[in-house]
Amino acid sequence: MPELRRTPLYEYHKQLGAKIVPFAGFEMPIQFTSIVEEHRWTRENVGMFDVSHMGEIIIRGPKALDFVYYITSNDPSKLEVMQVQYSALPTEKGTVVDDLLVYRLEDHFMLVVNAANIEKDYNWILSHKLEGVEIENKSYEIGEIAFQGPKAEEVLQRIVEDDLSQISYYWAKRVKILSKEMLISRTGYTGEDGFEIYADNETIKDIWGKLMEFDEVKPVGLGARDTLRLEMGYCLYGNDIDETTNLLEAGLKWITKLDKEDFIGKEALLRIQEKGLKRKRVGFVMREKRAIPRPHLKIYKDGEEIGYVTSGTFSPSLSIGIGMGYVKKEYSKKETEIDVEIRGKFEKGEIVRLPFYKEGTVRK
Amino acid sequence: MKVPEELKYTEEHEWVKVEGDIAIVGITDFAQNELSDIVYVELPEVGKNIKKGDVIATVEAVKTVADVYSPVSGEIIEVNEKLKDEPSIINNDPYGEGWIAKVKMENPEEINALLDHAAYKKLVEEE
C-alpha cells in the first residue's frame, strides 16, 4: 500500500485526540468526540470539517471553457465568473468517473474532485486534453475547510471584512482572512448553510486555529460528514455513484444537460433515455429501530429481489435507519413498501422523497 | 483505555465476569470506542443454549455493526433489558451498566482459555 498522505491540519486533529483512519489515501479524522454529537452540533451551530483531502484541478487557456463543457455533464457556459456548479465527469457509457464542483474563476476553472479519484480524474482529464488548454493538479498544495451550520455566516463574518450576506448559494468570492486573500464559496455537503474555504496549506492552518477559538465552532469528522450528507440524500462517489451507474438512473439528470452540443457520454445517455431506465436510485426509511441498512444489502419486494443498498446509516436527526440504493424502476415510486434483508431477516422499509431531513438551513 | 484486572477477555473484545457458574458478558471499552455511538443492541433469547463462539448479540452503531460472540458455552439466563431503550449505556459504562447477557456455564473450565487483563491489554495496544 502506498504511504498515506496527511492534510496540513493533521497535527491539530492528533492533538485533539481525534480517531484517525485511512480514507482515500489520507489519514483523516473520522470523529473527534462522537458522530451523533458532531452531527447535531452541525445542525444547530457550526461544524468545521477538514476537507483538505479533496482535489483541485485547474483548467486554463483560451479553450478552457470548451474543454470543461466537453468533459462535464452540466453546462459551464451558463456560469458567470465566480459562480459554482455541481457537475459530473461522465464516461463514454454515461456512467460516472467522478462528481465534482466546477468553479468559474477570473481566468480559469477549478474542478474540485473527490480525494479517492484525484489521480484517476487527472489522468482522465489529461487523456482528453485539447489544444489551447493547460491542466494542473493543485490537489496537494491547496487546503480546504468546510464551515457548515446555521451560525456559519455569523461566525465567519467575525474574521472576514467583506459582507458574507452578499454571497449567494453556489457563488464564490475572494476575501481577506487574517490579512491573506483566499477563495471562499457558499457551498457544502451537509444541508446546512455554510462556506467552503480554500487556501494554501500553511494559511489553512492559521484559519483553522482562528476559527476554533469561537465557542459556536466544533471540529467534525468524516463520520458525521457522511451521516449529514446522507440525511440530505446527496450522493457519495464510490457508494451511490461510480463507473457502473449511469447519471440518469442515479437521479442526476438535473446536472446532465442532454441538449448541450457535445460532451463525453452524451450519445450513450441519449440512448439510455430513449430506451427508458431499468432501475433508479431511491431513498428509503426503515420501520424498526433495529433495522439499519448498510451498503450491499439486498432489497426485496414481495420476496423478489429488486435491488441493493448503496448507502445506509442510523439517522441522528430522525432516529431511525435510512438508506439509499438502486431498485427496479417499477418499484421506485415514493411510498412503495420494500424489504431489506438484514442478518437473514426481512426488515420493512418505505421509499420516500429525498431529502430525508427537511429542516436544513441550506440556501436554495 | 480501561481494562479491569478482575475480568477475563477474548480476542474479539468481549469481557467476562465470573460469579460462581454464571458468566456475565459484555464488550470491552476498546470495542465500544471502536464502534462509537451504539444505537441498537439485538439481544439473545433467555433460555437459549449457546456454544462458545456463537453470536449472542449484535451491536449496531451509527457507522458499523458488530457481532458479539459468546466466550463460553451454556444457557442464557438473563439479558440486559435496559439496552433496549438505551443502547448507549454500553458506550458510557461498558464494564458495568452496559453488560449484555448472563450465561449459566456448562463447562466453567472454558474460562481458563480466556485472556487475562495483561494479555488483553497487550492485544489492544498492538491493534
Side-chain angles (χ1 to χ4, degrees):
Chain A
M1 204 168 110
E3 196 151 315
L4 292 170
R5 289 178 187 274
R6 289 177 177 177
T7 77
L9 302 169
Y10 175 85
E11 290 301 328
Y12 285 92
H13 308 330
K14 203 80 194 163
Q15 273 169 30
L16 285 171
K19 189 188 288 179
I20 294 186
V21 298
F23 176 83
F26 287 79
E27 288 189 85
M28 296 299 291
I30 188 157
Q31 70 175 57
F32 290 84
T33 53
S34 126
I35 293 173
V36 173
E37 265 174 51
E38 292 165 31
H39 179 110
R40 296 207 170 118
W41 188 266
T42 306
R43 292 257 179 262
E44 287 161 18
N45 298 286
V46 191
M48 185 157 65
F49 304 71
D50 176 9
V51 284
S52 302
H53 60 313
M54 300 292 285
E56 293 84 11
I57 296 171
I58 306 297
I59 313 285
R60 56 174 93 240
K63 291 282 179 200
L65 173 59
D66 295 346
F67 183 59
V68 176
Y69 184 95
Y70 177 66
I71 61 171
T72 63
S73 59
N74 207 334
D75 186 353
S77 69
K78 296 274 185 349
L79 289 174
E80 290 182 44
V81 171
M82 303 314 277
Q83 205 176 358
V84 190
Q85 187 176 67
Y86 179 55
S87 191
L89 297 175
T91 65
E92 293 288 358
K93 289 187 280 185
T95 63
V96 192
V97 176
D98 202 1
D99 64 335
L100 72 165
L101 290 184
V102 175
Y103 285 71
R104 181 169 197 171
L105 301 177
E106 298 83 352
D107 61 345
H108 65 275
F109 287 85
M110 177 169 81
L111 312 184
V112 179
V113 304
N114 284 297
N117 292 337
I118 292 172
E119 298 303 324
K120 180 181 83 164
D121 292 355
Y122 181 58
N123 290 326
W124 171 263
I125 293 167
L126 275 184
S127 72
H128 292 89
K129 190 176 180 298
L130 303 175
E131 281 288 311
V133 172
E134 286 165 53
I135 300 161
E136 190 184 359
N137 182 6
K138 299 263 272 182
S139 300
Y140 308 118
E141 294 154 49
I142 298 177
E144 186 187 349
I145 291 170
F147 198 67
Q148 303 278 302
K151 297 179 184 164
E153 181 186 293
E154 179 202 329
V155 177
L156 188 60
Q157 189 68 73
R158 292 176 199 157
I159 62 165
V160 182
E161 272 178 40
D162 311 69
D163 182 1
L164 294 177
S165 71
Q166 297 301 307
I167 305 177
S168 301
Y169 189 50
Y170 269 72
W171 283 78
K173 189 172 171 57
R174 295 204 188 270
V175 298
K176 245 188 191 168
I177 306 182
L178 306 177
S179 68
K180 280 198 178 144
E181 196 190 75
M182 65 200 70
L183 185 74
I184 68 170
S185 58
R186 196 164 209 132
T187 48
Y189 196 45
T190 60
E192 300 302 328
D193 187 24
F195 297 86
E196 291 177 298
I197 304 167
Y198 299 87
D200 64 78
N201 286 340
E202 276 310 305
T203 308
I204 210 80
K205 285 194 226 172
D206 299 338
I207 299 189
W208 179 277
K210 184 71 198 165
L211 289 170
M212 279 291 284
E213 290 174 13
F214 299 111
D215 291 341
E216 295 91 339
V217 180
K218 284 192 177 169
V220 179
L222 292 181
R225 181 169 160 84
D226 190 53
T227 54
L228 287 158
R229 72 89 196 169
L230 187 46
E231 283 186 351
M232 295 308 294
Y234 298 155
C235 286
L236 172 63
Y237 193 88
N239 279 40
D240 311 301
I241 45 174
D242 59 26
E243 292 188 20
T244 70
T245 60
N246 73 60
L247 284 163
L248 303 180
E249 65 191 9
L252 296 177
K253 187 162 194 241
W254 65 283
I255 60 160
T256 307
K257 304 300 179 193
L258 291 170
D259 54 352
K260 273 204 302 183
E261 221 166 274
D262 192 23
F263 66 96
I264 298 173
K266 179 181 171 179
E267 264 182 52
L269 287 160
L270 280 173
R271 244 179 298 132
I272 290 164
Q273 173 165 263
E274 206 180 279
K275 276 170 62 185
L277 298 178
K278 290 200 187 80
R279 57 177 193 169
K280 276 175 105 170
R281 177 173 64 96
V282 295
F284 55 88
V285 174
M286 303 305 291
R287 186 172 297 166
E288 302 289 344
K289 225 170 164 175
R290 63 167 182 265
I292 300 175
R294 309 284 183 190
H296 312 301
L297 295 179
K298 290 175 180 169
I299 302 174
Y300 294 81
K301 175 74 186 173
D302 302 328
E304 178 201 353
E305 192 178 328
I306 59 163
Y308 61 97
V309 179
T310 52
S311 282
T313 188
F314 174 82
S315 160
S317 301
L318 308 175
S319 286
I320 195 81
I322 58 171
M324 298 199 294
Y326 285 89
V327 298
K328 288 186 180 170
K329 192 184 166 223
E330 57 267 39
Y331 301 113
S332 62
K333 284 209 183 68
K334 68 169 180 170
E335 289 168 19
T336 304
E337 294 202 348
I338 56 163
D339 294 303
V340 180
E341 189 183 1
I342 302 175
R343 293 191 289 282
K345 270 188 272 178
F346 278 3
E347 298 282 0
K348 291 245 170 292
E350 184 188 321
I351 291 174
V352 298
R353 193 193 294 272
L354 296 171
F356 298 102
Y357 178 71
K358 298 180 169 49
E359 318 298 316
T361 54
V362 63
R363 295 195 175 186
K364 293 285 157 60
Chain B
M1 202 69 60
K2 283 185 228 136
V3 183
E5 283 185 29
E6 67 278 18
L7 304 180
K8 295 284 195 172
Y9 300 89
T10 69
E11 289 178 1
E12 285 82 31
H13 310 286
E14 290 92 10
W15 58 263
V16 181
K17 185 176 182 187
V18 180
E19 287 182 350
D21 61 350
I22 308 294
I24 306 172
V25 179
I27 64 168
T28 65
D29 193 23
F30 176 84
Q32 73 74 20
N33 187 55
E34 283 293 296
L35 289 166
S36 146
D37 297 300
I38 293 167
V39 293
Y40 182 79
V41 183
E42 188 163 283
L43 295 164
E45 272 171 52
V46 173
K48 195 178 171 193
N49 280 299
I50 42 139
K51 290 270 163 253
K52 178 180 172 156
D54 285 354
V55 173
I56 49 164
T58 304
V59 179
E60 291 270 8
V62 172
K63 283 317 307 162
T64 185
V65 55
D67 287 329
V68 180
Y69 302 98
S70 185
V72 292
S73 307
E75 184 193 341
I76 307 276
I77 55 161
E78 197 182 339
V79 297
N80 187 354
E81 297 284 341
K82 272 197 211 164
L83 297 177
K84 288 185 176 166
D85 291 328
E86 235 189 302
S88 61
I89 308 174
I90 296 180
N91 290 123
N92 302 328
D93 189 8
Y95 299 115
E97 293 285 298
W99 65 276
I100 292 173
K102 293 184 184 176
V103 182
K104 187 169 163 62
M105 288 185 280
E106 197 178 281
N107 179 8
E109 287 195 351
E110 280 175 345
I111 292 294
N112 300 330
L114 299 175
L115 305 173
D116 64 12
H117 89 104
Y120 181 67
K121 211 169 171 176
K122 192 161 171 257
L123 181 96
V124 295
E125 274 161 9
E126 282 163 7
E127 288 222 5

